[in-house]
């Protein structure tokens, strides 16, 4: 029996993943489309929750700010490698690590011979996408595993048609834990909305603070379009 989707309540602190949750997955990381009305919905929900809305994304903060301009929302970026408190500037978290420069050289050299495989550098990590070349999945995995084996500071993370190297201590629970210690999040009921295995850490953190998680695939039958409609309802409630 399908669960009943709860509507946004005024005592929530809302933590939102970006790709696959607010935005539809695109063939390339730079090809995502921000649907009309999304920024207005986020602004409206944030006003209703006294600012307790955060974006928790694997993307770097610059990407998120560009997509959601003119908003510069609090949250966690790079899987928690960077955190921005309300009204503040993004700063590296305790989990942040610098990616070995030689890894980018190795990945880009390999990708140059694999049409359709894309390398996405991040502030504290790197992703290798094979959505446009699914037959390269095993080769991308082996290459990324070889990098991770060289450095215990980084861990290999499966993603949507991609593999990512991120700092071993970085995850989406970290920004939830940090933000829940600060106004306006403190004392509210945290709700984490995400679509991927990387979001499960954030959902578990929300549960530890008396809240819960909503999974796009399990709780939103219409996918990210339904998430956006849900936000629009919450903004106008």
């Amino acid at each position: 029996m399908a669960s009943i989707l709860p509507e946004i309540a005024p005592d929530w602190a809302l933590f939102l993943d970006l790709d696959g949750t607010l935005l539809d997955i695109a063939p390339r990381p730079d090809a995502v489309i921000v649907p009309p009305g999304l920024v207005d919905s986020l602004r409206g929900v944030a006003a209703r929750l006294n600012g307790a809305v955060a974006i928790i994304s694997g993307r770097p903060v610059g990407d998120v700010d560009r997509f959601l301009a003119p908003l510069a929302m609090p949250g966690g970026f790079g899987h928690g490698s960077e955190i921005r408190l309300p009204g503040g500037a993004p700063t590296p978290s305790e989990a942040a690590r610098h990616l070995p420069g030689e890894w980018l050289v190795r990945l880009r050299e390999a990708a140059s011979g694999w049409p359709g495989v894309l390398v996405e550098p991040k502030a504290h990590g790197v992703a290798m996408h094979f959505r446009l070349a699914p037959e390269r999945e095993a080769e991308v995995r082996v290459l990324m595993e070889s990098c991770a084996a060289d450095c215990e500071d980084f861990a290999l993370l499966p993603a949507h048609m991609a593999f990512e190297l991120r700092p071993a201590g970085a995850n989406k629970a970290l920004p939830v834990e940090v933000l829940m210690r600060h106004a306006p999040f403190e004392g509210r009921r945290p709700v984490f909305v995400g679509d991927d295995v990387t979001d499960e850490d954030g959902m578990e953190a929300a549960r530890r603070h008396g809240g819960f998680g909503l999974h796009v695939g399990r709780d939103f039958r219409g996918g990210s379009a339904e998430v956006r409609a849900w936000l629009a309802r919450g903004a106008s409630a």
Side-chain angles (χ1 to χ4, degrees):
M1 183 176 178
S3 61
I4 298 175
L5 181 64
E7 296 298 322
I8 297 171
D11 66 336
W12 284 10
L14 196 55
F15 298 89
L16 301 167
D17 172 52
L18 189 69
D19 293 275
T21 299
L22 298 181
L23 305 179
D24 297 328
I25 297 293
R28 300 172 55 97
D30 59 356
V32 295
I33 295 173
V34 180
L38 175 59
V39 169
D40 287 340
S41 292
L42 289 170
R43 184 186 287 112
V45 172
R48 186 178 169 213
L49 302 185
N50 294 323
V53 180
I55 303 297
I56 312 295
S57 176
R59 287 186 183 264
V61 65
D63 283 1
V64 177
D65 285 354
R66 184 170 68 255
F67 294 143
L68 301 182
L71 303 181
M73 303 184 71
F77 313 95
H79 298 287
S81 296
E82 299 174 284
I83 295 176
R84 178 161 59 200
L85 297 178
T91 59
S93 74
E94 62 189 44
R97 299 290 185 275
H98 290 293
L99 189 79
E102 62 270 21
W103 288 3
L104 279 179
V105 174
R106 290 173 61 186
L107 300 183
R108 284 170 169 157
E109 285 180 349
S112 68
W114 295 340
V117 174
L118 306 172
V119 177
E120 181 190 9
K122 302 187 178 185
H124 301 280
V126 61
M128 202 167 194
H129 300 262
F130 54 88
R131 182 174 297 276
L132 299 177
E135 72 279 4
R136 297 290 185 182
E137 177 178 2
E139 292 163 292
V140 171
R141 176 191 283 273
V142 169
L143 177 59
M144 297 288 271
E145 285 177 340
S146 71
C147 291
D150 291 340
C151 182
E152 62 183 15
D153 286 343
F154 285 81
L156 183 63
L157 180 71
H160 284 297
M161 301 294 287
F163 293 102
E164 183 167 351
L165 289 163
R166 69 174 183 186
N171 58 63
K172 292 187 177 182
L174 181 57
V176 174
E177 297 287 353
V178 171
L179 287 167
M180 287 301 294
R181 297 196 295 265
H182 294 269
F185 297 88
E186 188 176 16
R188 289 176 166 269
R189 188 181 191 192
V191 178
F192 193 108
V193 186
D195 72 305
D196 201 359
V197 63
T198 61
D199 299 311
E200 298 291 346
D201 291 329
M203 295 179 190
E204 179 56 33
R207 288 190 285 270
R208 286 196 296 270
H209 286 270
F212 58 93
L214 293 172
H215 190 281
V216 175
R218 295 190 294 265
D219 298 301
F220 294 86
R221 291 186 178 183
S224 55
E226 186 177 350
V227 177
R228 294 190 294 269
W230 177 76
L231 283 172
R233 292 196 303 273
S236 61

